[in-house]
Amino acid sequence: MPKIMSQKEVIGLVKDGSSVMIGGFMTCGTPCGLVEELAGSGAKDLTIICNDTGLMGDGIGMLISTDAVQHLIASHIGTNPETGQKMIDGKIQVELVPQGTLAERIRCAGAGLGGVLTPTGVGTVVAEGKEEIHVDGRTYLLEKPLHADFALIKAWKADRKGNLIYRKSARNFNPLMAMAADCVIAEVEEIVEVGEIGPDEVVTPGIFISYLTRRSN
Amino acid sequence: MDSKQKRALIARRIAQELSDGDVVNLGIGLPTMVSNFIPPGVNITLQSENGFVGLGPTPAPGEEDPCLVNAGGQPVTILPGGAFFDSAESFAIIRGGHVDVTVLGALEVDAEGNLANWMVPGKMVPGMGGAMDLVVGAKRVIVATLHVTKDGEPKLLKKCRLPLTAAAEVDLVVTDMGVFEIKDGQMIIVEKNPEFTIEEIQVATEAELVVSPQLRDMDVSGL
């Protein structure tokens, strides 16, 4: 059963130098309360794994602005020019990963797999330094799993057992990250009693969730 | 033809390539305009790589839902019969060959079907997002682009010079000057904008054009 905690308390668990996955796509489905709390905590040297860095100062952009990030693994940073500038200035080390590969690398870690073979990136800079494997005449890249110390995810509703449902396109990377970190913190809009979310409706089973929190304001 | 007319010409021509029942992913910008020109009687399903099928039009002002955005982060709607899924399933749809057609823009495209559309060395790098997966995974890849750059340089090359998005995956290129099939290392012009001669189009193209025996004029009426 996940513990219900305040955002401040739960973010206190994240130590400098931790690896942290953060759900969302262009701030849609990003746990913005947790991100704001983390940015405000003065955390440093984080490795952040996410799809994109949101907008300047918004969503995951808050962590870029406060120089909390040392290493970033993402598919897109173009909507936040501050990330690009800090990459050029050498303040953030950025690893760009094709979006589908990012999703599968996270899924692999959560699913106990040693990696995934994908045709995406063959013949491009993405293939540099990676093992190529040929299966039935087609070339694939071996892409390795991505695991993290923490996952900060956003869902619409949770029951007290941590079973989650999402709203519309705010689902994106959240269910995958819920499986791929040692400690999974879910920011939700509403916590309901067990039984109020039917077993057929659950998208992320509560067994993956360590902490539940609601945005404080 | 002004820039608006050129873009409309490209989008309208690409819409003719779509068949009833197709699952289609449209890139941001010019490719998105294709949805404005779907011929009557053709019903397609639009896929949005951030996690749904059944992408609908922009909502009316005040009706926007922050939990419903397209792959550019802009508010959109979902049509009845649509479905949401997570990013792994979304890219399984894309990589698994369940998208019939993808339409993307280009910085450069070449006669071997190579596409470069994600970065320019020395400039701010936005990242590839979902483009690499889309170009590799979609059954048919259509490039929508103006024929030349802002400086008048060719974009249809013998061989791409910029870092590739994917190698040998492009099937068709539609520009304001013509429609070009990529086949067996050749760039074949199958339709031309009647405002230009083949010679004029070749001058604006670095790749050596092969003229199709069935060459036709593009429909440029009513733009």
Side-chain angles (χ1 to χ4, degrees):
Chain A
M1 197 107 131
K3 269 193 177 171
I4 299 174
M5 270 201 190
S6 76
Q7 299 217 307
K8 196 178 173 62
E9 237 180 329
V10 81
I11 283 301
L13 301 170
V14 181
K15 304 293 175 229
D16 288 356
S18 297
S19 55
V20 185
M21 287 179 179
I22 306 175
F25 187 104
M26 290 286 301
T27 75
C28 176
T30 299
C32 286
L34 287 170
V35 172
E36 193 176 351
E37 197 65 55
L38 184 58
S41 76
K44 291 276 175 241
D45 303 326
L46 300 175
T47 292
I48 299 292
I49 301 164
C50 57
N51 178 61
D52 59 82
T53 49
L55 305 165
M56 191 131 75
D58 191 12
I60 296 169
M62 290 185 268
L63 293 167
I64 302 298
S65 299
T66 57
D67 286 321
V69 186
Q70 184 195 49
H71 185 192
L72 174 72
I73 301 171
S75 86
H76 200 271
I77 57 171
T79 53
N80 185 347
E82 199 174 6
T83 311
Q85 195 53 52
K86 289 191 172 172
M87 177 181 172
I88 290 168
D89 296 343
K91 287 185 180 162
I92 301 179
Q93 184 199 341
V94 179
E95 181 187 340
L96 289 167
V97 179
Q99 201 171 120
T101 302
L102 183 65
E104 281 301 320
R105 289 180 67 188
I106 295 166
R107 198 188 65 83
C108 276
L113 301 175
V116 63
L117 300 181
T118 177
T120 304
V122 172
T124 76
V125 294
V126 168
E128 285 171 13
K130 288 180 186 149
E131 191 177 343
E132 289 192 349
I133 294 177
H134 305 276
V135 181
D136 294 339
R138 199 169 179 195
T139 306
Y140 299 88
L141 299 182
L142 171 62
E143 293 279 5
K144 293 185 179 170
L146 269 177
H147 183 267
D149 301 324
F150 294 90
L152 310 184
I153 66 167
K154 169 78 195 274
W156 175 26
K157 276 186 197 176
D159 67 19
R160 288 184 180 276
K161 275 192 172 292
N163 292 308
L164 303 180
I165 53 174
Y166 302 88
R167 270 200 87 227
K168 305 187 181 184
S169 65
R171 184 181 310 189
N172 53 67
F173 283 83
N174 288 299
L176 308 169
M177 291 177 173
M179 299 191 291
D182 293 335
C183 177
V184 179
I185 305 168
E187 174 178 316
V188 299
E189 287 167 40
E190 208 179 328
I191 300 173
V192 300
E193 294 305 322
V194 171
E196 286 188 45
I197 301 173
D200 279 328
E201 295 172 83
V202 172
V203 178
T204 297
I207 56 165
F208 295 118
I209 309 302
S210 321
Y211 297 96
L212 285 174
T213 177
R214 271 177 298 182
R215 190 166 184 172
S216 30
N217 52 18
Chain B
M1 215 178 265
D2 63 25
S3 151
K4 204 175 153 194
Q5 287 170 313
K6 287 178 185 175
R7 290 163 64 86
L9 170 66
I10 295 165
R12 188 173 72 179
R13 179 59 189 80
I14 291 175
Q16 303 293 321
E17 294 292 315
L18 306 179
S19 307
D20 195 37
D22 277 354
V23 176
V24 179
N25 185 296
L26 301 176
I28 301 301
L30 171 54
T32 304
M33 288 173 60
V34 171
S35 62
N36 300 335
F37 297 100
I38 307 297
V42 173
N43 285 299
I44 61 164
T45 298
L46 290 176
Q47 199 252 10
S48 193
E49 68 258 30
N50 53 318
F52 59 107
V53 286
L55 176 65
T58 306
E63 304 276 300
E64 298 91 349
D65 182 339
C67 288
L68 187 46
V69 301
N70 65 14
Q74 299 305 310
V76 289
T77 51
I78 186 165
L79 300 172
F84 295 110
F85 31 78
D86 67 46
S87 300
E89 188 166 354
S90 185
F91 281 89
I93 289 169
I94 289 167
R95 248 189 277 93
H98 311 287
V99 169
D100 296 293
V101 181
T102 187
V103 184
L104 297 96
L107 295 168
E108 296 176 347
V109 58
D110 71 27
E112 291 168 19
N114 298 315
L115 173 67
N117 76 350
W118 75 282
M119 73 167 287
V120 179
K123 291 202 177 167
M124 204 94 104
V125 182
M128 68 291 278
M132 286 190 175
D133 298 284
L134 277 161
V135 180
V136 166
K139 283 189 199 153
R140 194 150 183 256
V141 176
I142 301 179
V143 166
T145 180
L146 293 175
H147 200 86
V148 296
T149 67
K150 277 183 197 141
D151 304 324
E153 296 297 320
K155 298 178 85 169
L156 279 57
L157 306 181
K158 287 193 172 88
K159 195 141 179 95
C160 289
R161 293 181 273 270
L162 293 171
L164 297 185
T165 305
E169 295 285 356
V170 175
D171 298 292
L172 193 74
V173 181
V174 179
T175 78
D176 49 298
M177 284 189 149
V179 179
F180 307 84
E181 277 178 14
I182 309 290
K183 220 175 189 175
D184 305 324
Q186 291 188 317
M187 193 174 276
I188 306 160
I189 180 163
V190 293
E191 285 181 38
K192 71 174 195 64
N193 181 333
E195 291 181 6
F196 302 99
T197 65
I198 287 287
E199 291 70 28
E200 286 168 327
I201 298 170
Q202 179 63 75
V203 166
T205 311
E206 189 200 85
E208 207 168 304
L209 295 176
V210 174
V211 180
S212 164
Q214 283 89 41
L215 180 72
R216 299 189 301 153
D217 277 344
M218 285 173 100
D219 174 14
V220 293
S221 61
L223 288 168

